[in-house]
Amino acid sequence: MDILAIVLSFAIGLTLMLLLGWVFSLKTKGLIRLAFNSIAGLILILSFNLLRIVHLPLNPLNVLIVGFLGAPGVVVVGLLTLFL
């Protein structure tokens, strides 16, 4: 296994750990806001797919990315879909 794959795996794992720690430290108001933003992200991805603007895969990770980041999250998911 080359060093780039190891470093990338470590960075992804560390990011997920920090993200989960942040989610579990939120109070109820923060969790409700996170759920609302995730639903809004789901609607945004579905509308892009239905209007055939761009095809974004619909899965929980993409919905959470769009929910956390908002409109820039759509760009991030689009770029990830394009390059991966």
Side-chain angles (χ1 to χ4, degrees):
M1 191 175 223
D2 64 341
I3 191 73
L4 180 63
I6 293 171
V7 170
L8 187 61
S9 298
F10 179 75
I12 290 171
L14 182 63
T15 303
L16 286 174
M17 278 182 21
L18 291 173
L19 185 64
L20 283 174
W22 176 75
V23 167
F24 287 126
S25 70
L26 290 176
K27 303 224 185 297
T28 305
K29 183 178 178 184
L31 290 175
I32 292 171
R33 186 180 65 198
L34 179 64
F36 177 73
N37 287 344
S38 295
I39 292 170
L42 171 70
I43 292 169
L44 191 60
I45 289 175
L46 282 175
S47 65
F48 275 168
N49 287 339
L50 289 175
L51 295 175
R52 299 187 195 276
I53 295 172
V54 65
H55 177 70
L56 298 175
L58 185 63
N59 57 37
L61 179 63
N62 289 347
V63 170
L64 283 175
I65 290 173
V66 174
F68 278 127
L69 299 177
V74 175
V75 175
V76 169
V77 170
L79 290 175
L80 285 175
T81 303
L82 180 67
F83 290 118
L84 296 179

PDB file of all heavy atoms in Angstrom, residues 43-62:
ATOM      1  N   ILE A  43     -33.999  17.410  -0.588  1.00  0.00           N
ATOM      2  CA  ILE A  43     -34.896  18.037  -1.554  1.00  0.00           C
ATOM      3  C   ILE A  43     -34.093  18.696  -2.681  1.00  0.00           C
ATOM      4  O   ILE A  43     -34.472  18.612  -3.855  1.00  0.00           O
ATOM      5  CB  ILE A  43     -35.822  19.053  -0.849  1.00  0.00           C
ATOM      6  CG1 ILE A  43     -36.791  18.309   0.075  1.00  0.00           C
ATOM      7  CG2 ILE A  43     -36.567  19.915  -1.848  1.00  0.00           C
ATOM      8  CD1 ILE A  43     -37.571  19.199   1.008  1.00  0.00           C
ATOM      9  N   LEU A  44     -32.972  19.312  -2.345  1.00  0.00           N
ATOM     10  CA  LEU A  44     -32.139  19.962  -3.356  1.00  0.00           C
ATOM     11  C   LEU A  44     -31.553  18.940  -4.326  1.00  0.00           C
ATOM     12  O   LEU A  44     -31.583  19.141  -5.547  1.00  0.00           O
ATOM     13  CB  LEU A  44     -31.027  20.759  -2.674  1.00  0.00           C
ATOM     14  CG  LEU A  44     -30.226  21.711  -3.529  1.00  0.00           C
ATOM     15  CD1 LEU A  44     -31.138  22.766  -4.134  1.00  0.00           C
ATOM     16  CD2 LEU A  44     -29.163  22.373  -2.691  1.00  0.00           C
ATOM     17  N   ILE A  45     -31.042  17.830  -3.813  1.00  0.00           N
ATOM     18  CA  ILE A  45     -30.490  16.783  -4.677  1.00  0.00           C
ATOM     19  C   ILE A  45     -31.586  16.189  -5.555  1.00  0.00           C
ATOM     20  O   ILE A  45     -31.393  15.974  -6.755  1.00  0.00           O
ATOM     21  CB  ILE A  45     -29.785  15.696  -3.841  1.00  0.00           C
ATOM     22  CG1 ILE A  45     -28.490  16.242  -3.250  1.00  0.00           C
ATOM     23  CG2 ILE A  45     -29.475  14.472  -4.698  1.00  0.00           C
ATOM     24  CD1 ILE A  45     -27.802  15.281  -2.316  1.00  0.00           C
ATOM     25  N   LEU A  46     -32.760  15.917  -4.965  1.00  0.00           N
ATOM     26  CA  LEU A  46     -33.870  15.370  -5.750  1.00  0.00           C
ATOM     27  C   LEU A  46     -34.315  16.337  -6.846  1.00  0.00           C
ATOM     28  O   LEU A  46     -34.609  15.919  -7.966  1.00  0.00           O
ATOM     29  CB  LEU A  46     -35.049  15.033  -4.841  1.00  0.00           C
ATOM     30  CG  LEU A  46     -34.932  13.746  -4.042  1.00  0.00           C
ATOM     31  CD1 LEU A  46     -36.122  13.611  -3.103  1.00  0.00           C
ATOM     32  CD2 LEU A  46     -34.823  12.552  -4.945  1.00  0.00           C
ATOM     33  N   SER A  47     -34.349  17.628  -6.525  1.00  0.00           N
ATOM     34  CA  SER A  47     -34.777  18.596  -7.544  1.00  0.00           C
ATOM     35  C   SER A  47     -33.764  18.678  -8.676  1.00  0.00           C
ATOM     36  O   SER A  47     -34.145  18.804  -9.842  1.00  0.00           O
ATOM     37  CB  SER A  47     -35.010  19.968  -6.917  1.00  0.00           C
ATOM     38  OG  SER A  47     -33.812  20.503  -6.428  1.00  0.00           O
ATOM     39  N   PHE A  48     -32.468  18.600  -8.364  1.00  0.00           N
ATOM     40  CA  PHE A  48     -31.460  18.598  -9.426  1.00  0.00           C
ATOM     41  C   PHE A  48     -31.604  17.369 -10.311  1.00  0.00           C
ATOM     42  O   PHE A  48     -31.469  17.444 -11.526  1.00  0.00           O
ATOM     43  CB  PHE A  48     -30.052  18.653  -8.850  1.00  0.00           C
ATOM     44  CG  PHE A  48     -29.580  20.042  -8.542  1.00  0.00           C
ATOM     45  CD1 PHE A  48     -28.440  20.235  -7.803  1.00  0.00           C
ATOM     46  CD2 PHE A  48     -30.266  21.154  -8.976  1.00  0.00           C
ATOM     47  CE1 PHE A  48     -27.993  21.508  -7.509  1.00  0.00           C
ATOM     48  CE2 PHE A  48     -29.834  22.433  -8.695  1.00  0.00           C
ATOM     49  CZ  PHE A  48     -28.680  22.606  -7.960  1.00  0.00           C
ATOM     50  N   ASN A  49     -31.892  16.214  -9.685  1.00  0.00           N
ATOM     51  CA  ASN A  49     -32.051  14.988 -10.461  1.00  0.00           C
ATOM     52  C   ASN A  49     -33.324  15.017 -11.295  1.00  0.00           C
ATOM     53  O   ASN A  49     -33.326  14.558 -12.434  1.00  0.00           O
ATOM     54  CB  ASN A  49     -32.043  13.767  -9.551  1.00  0.00           C
ATOM     55  CG  ASN A  49     -30.654  13.466  -9.015  1.00  0.00           C
ATOM     56  OD1 ASN A  49     -29.664  13.890  -9.574  1.00  0.00           O
ATOM     57  ND2 ASN A  49     -30.602  12.728  -7.933  1.00  0.00           N
ATOM     58  N   LEU A  50     -34.423  15.546 -10.743  1.00  0.00           N
ATOM     59  CA  LEU A  50     -35.680  15.581 -11.482  1.00  0.00           C
ATOM     60  C   LEU A  50     -35.653  16.589 -12.628  1.00  0.00           C
ATOM     61  O   LEU A  50     -36.237  16.352 -13.684  1.00  0.00           O
ATOM     62  CB  LEU A  50     -36.849  15.888 -10.543  1.00  0.00           C
ATOM     63  CG  LEU A  50     -37.227  14.772  -9.583  1.00  0.00           C
ATOM     64  CD1 LEU A  50     -38.308  15.247  -8.629  1.00  0.00           C
ATOM     65  CD2 LEU A  50     -37.690  13.540 -10.340  1.00  0.00           C
ATOM     66  N   LEU A  51     -34.988  17.718 -12.427  1.00  0.00           N
ATOM     67  CA  LEU A  51     -34.896  18.736 -13.471  1.00  0.00           C
ATOM     68  C   LEU A  51     -33.781  18.431 -14.470  1.00  0.00           C
ATOM     69  O   LEU A  51     -33.592  19.172 -15.427  1.00  0.00           O
ATOM     70  CB  LEU A  51     -34.663  20.117 -12.848  1.00  0.00           C
ATOM     71  CG  LEU A  51     -35.804  20.638 -11.980  1.00  0.00           C
ATOM     72  CD1 LEU A  51     -35.406  21.939 -11.320  1.00  0.00           C
ATOM     73  CD2 LEU A  51     -37.066  20.808 -12.807  1.00  0.00           C
ATOM     74  N   ARG A  52     -33.054  17.364 -14.218  1.00  0.00           N
ATOM     75  CA  ARG A  52     -31.949  16.909 -15.078  1.00  0.00           C
ATOM     76  C   ARG A  52     -30.894  17.989 -15.267  1.00  0.00           C
ATOM     77  O   ARG A  52     -30.303  18.114 -16.342  1.00  0.00           O
ATOM     78  CB  ARG A  52     -32.471  16.405 -16.405  1.00  0.00           C
ATOM     79  CG  ARG A  52     -33.397  15.234 -16.264  1.00  0.00           C
ATOM     80  CD  ARG A  52     -33.755  14.665 -17.608  1.00  0.00           C
ATOM     81  NE  ARG A  52     -34.899  13.766 -17.520  1.00  0.00           N
ATOM     82  CZ  ARG A  52     -34.817  12.491 -17.187  1.00  0.00           C
ATOM     83  NH1 ARG A  52     -33.668  11.965 -16.885  1.00  0.00           N
ATOM     84  NH2 ARG A  52     -35.912  11.741 -17.152  1.00  0.00           N
ATOM     85  N   ILE A  53     -30.655  18.779 -14.232  1.00  0.00           N
ATOM     86  CA  ILE A  53     -29.578  19.769 -14.271  1.00  0.00           C
ATOM     87  C   ILE A  53     -28.245  19.037 -14.223  1.00  0.00           C
ATOM     88  O   ILE A  53     -27.365  19.251 -15.042  1.00  0.00           O
ATOM     89  CB  ILE A  53     -29.714  20.768 -13.106  1.00  0.00           C
ATOM     90  CG1 ILE A  53     -30.989  21.580 -13.275  1.00  0.00           C
ATOM     91  CG2 ILE A  53     -28.501  21.669 -13.023  1.00  0.00           C
ATOM     92  CD1 ILE A  53     -31.326  22.454 -12.106  1.00  0.00           C
ATOM     93  N   VAL A  54     -28.114  18.183 -13.239  1.00  0.00           N
ATOM     94  CA  VAL A  54     -26.942  17.324 -13.092  1.00  0.00           C
ATOM     95  C   VAL A  54     -27.397  16.104 -12.302  1.00  0.00           C
ATOM     96  O   VAL A  54     -28.288  16.201 -11.458  1.00  0.00           O
ATOM     97  CB  VAL A  54     -25.780  18.070 -12.389  1.00  0.00           C
ATOM     98  CG1 VAL A  54     -26.124  18.436 -10.980  1.00  0.00           C
ATOM     99  CG2 VAL A  54     -24.500  17.270 -12.441  1.00  0.00           C
ATOM    100  N   HIS A  55     -26.814  14.957 -12.584  1.00  0.00           N
ATOM    101  CA  HIS A  55     -27.199  13.756 -11.847  1.00  0.00           C
ATOM    102  C   HIS A  55     -26.281  13.594 -10.644  1.00  0.00           C
ATOM    103  O   HIS A  55     -25.080  13.374 -10.794  1.00  0.00           O
ATOM    104  CB  HIS A  55     -27.121  12.511 -12.721  1.00  0.00           C
ATOM    105  CG  HIS A  55     -27.432  11.272 -11.965  1.00  0.00           C
ATOM    106  ND1 HIS A  55     -28.705  10.995 -11.519  1.00  0.00           N
ATOM    107  CD2 HIS A  55     -26.648  10.260 -11.534  1.00  0.00           C
ATOM    108  CE1 HIS A  55     -28.683   9.852 -10.855  1.00  0.00           C
ATOM    109  NE2 HIS A  55     -27.442   9.392 -10.863  1.00  0.00           N
ATOM    110  N   LEU A  56     -26.848  13.738  -9.457  1.00  0.00           N
ATOM    111  CA  LEU A  56     -26.113  13.531  -8.216  1.00  0.00           C
ATOM    112  C   LEU A  56     -26.637  12.265  -7.560  1.00  0.00           C
ATOM    113  O   LEU A  56     -27.849  12.108  -7.410  1.00  0.00           O
ATOM    114  CB  LEU A  56     -26.299  14.719  -7.263  1.00  0.00           C
ATOM    115  CG  LEU A  56     -25.795  16.063  -7.769  1.00  0.00           C
ATOM    116  CD1 LEU A  56     -26.162  17.152  -6.786  1.00  0.00           C
ATOM    117  CD2 LEU A  56     -24.317  16.030  -7.993  1.00  0.00           C
ATOM    118  N   PRO A  57     -25.747  11.354  -7.179  1.00  0.00           N
ATOM    119  CA  PRO A  57     -26.223  10.133  -6.522  1.00  0.00           C
ATOM    120  C   PRO A  57     -26.893  10.467  -5.192  1.00  0.00           C
ATOM    121  O   PRO A  57     -26.434  11.330  -4.449  1.00  0.00           O
ATOM    122  CB  PRO A  57     -24.962   9.305  -6.315  1.00  0.00           C
ATOM    123  CG  PRO A  57     -23.821  10.152  -6.690  1.00  0.00           C
ATOM    124  CD  PRO A  57     -24.323  11.387  -7.339  1.00  0.00           C
ATOM    125  N   LEU A  58     -27.959   9.777  -4.918  1.00  0.00           N
ATOM    126  CA  LEU A  58     -28.723  10.014  -3.698  1.00  0.00           C
ATOM    127  C   LEU A  58     -28.365   8.944  -2.677  1.00  0.00           C
ATOM    128  O   LEU A  58     -28.751   7.791  -2.812  1.00  0.00           O
ATOM    129  CB  LEU A  58     -30.213   9.996  -4.011  1.00  0.00           C
ATOM    130  CG  LEU A  58     -31.138  10.353  -2.868  1.00  0.00           C
ATOM    131  CD1 LEU A  58     -30.879  11.783  -2.418  1.00  0.00           C
ATOM    132  CD2 LEU A  58     -32.569  10.206  -3.292  1.00  0.00           C
ATOM    133  N   ASN A  59     -27.577   9.325  -1.681  1.00  0.00           N
ATOM    134  CA  ASN A  59     -27.241   8.427  -0.583  1.00  0.00           C
ATOM    135  C   ASN A  59     -27.086   9.262   0.692  1.00  0.00           C
ATOM    136  O   ASN A  59     -27.018  10.489   0.632  1.00  0.00           O
ATOM    137  CB  ASN A  59     -25.979   7.608  -0.900  1.00  0.00           C
ATOM    138  CG  ASN A  59     -24.787   8.467  -1.224  1.00  0.00           C
ATOM    139  OD1 ASN A  59     -24.600   9.511  -0.638  1.00  0.00           O
ATOM    140  ND2 ASN A  59     -23.974   8.024  -2.170  1.00  0.00           N
ATOM    141  N   PRO A  60     -27.071   8.624   1.845  1.00  0.00           N
ATOM    142  CA  PRO A  60     -27.030   9.388   3.102  1.00  0.00           C
ATOM    143  C   PRO A  60     -25.813  10.305   3.232  1.00  0.00           C
ATOM    144  O   PRO A  60     -25.923  11.408   3.763  1.00  0.00           O
ATOM    145  CB  PRO A  60     -27.012   8.313   4.181  1.00  0.00           C
ATOM    146  CG  PRO A  60     -27.631   7.119   3.547  1.00  0.00           C
ATOM    147  CD  PRO A  60     -27.248   7.187   2.102  1.00  0.00           C
ATOM    148  N   LEU A  61     -24.664   9.887   2.723  1.00  0.00           N
ATOM    149  CA  LEU A  61     -23.472  10.719   2.835  1.00  0.00           C
ATOM    150  C   LEU A  61     -23.627  12.009   2.036  1.00  0.00           C
ATOM    151  O   LEU A  61     -23.312  13.098   2.535  1.00  0.00           O
ATOM    152  CB  LEU A  61     -22.234   9.955   2.361  1.00  0.00           C
ATOM    153  CG  LEU A  61     -20.923  10.727   2.414  1.00  0.00           C
ATOM    154  CD1 LEU A  61     -20.590  11.100   3.863  1.00  0.00           C
ATOM    155  CD2 LEU A  61     -19.815   9.931   1.794  1.00  0.00           C
ATOM    156  N   ASN A  62     -24.138  11.911   0.821  1.00  0.00           N
ATOM    157  CA  ASN A  62     -24.336  13.111   0.016  1.00  0.00           C
ATOM    158  C   ASN A  62     -25.374  14.040   0.631  1.00  0.00           C
ATOM    159  O   ASN A  62     -25.221  15.258   0.595  1.00  0.00           O
ATOM    160  CB  ASN A  62     -24.751  12.732  -1.402  1.00  0.00           C
ATOM    161  CG  ASN A  62     -23.617  12.108  -2.176  1.00  0.00           C
ATOM    162  OD1 ASN A  62     -22.467  12.158  -1.759  1.00  0.00           O
ATOM    163  ND2 ASN A  62     -23.944  11.513  -3.292  1.00  0.00           N
TER     164      ASN A  62
END
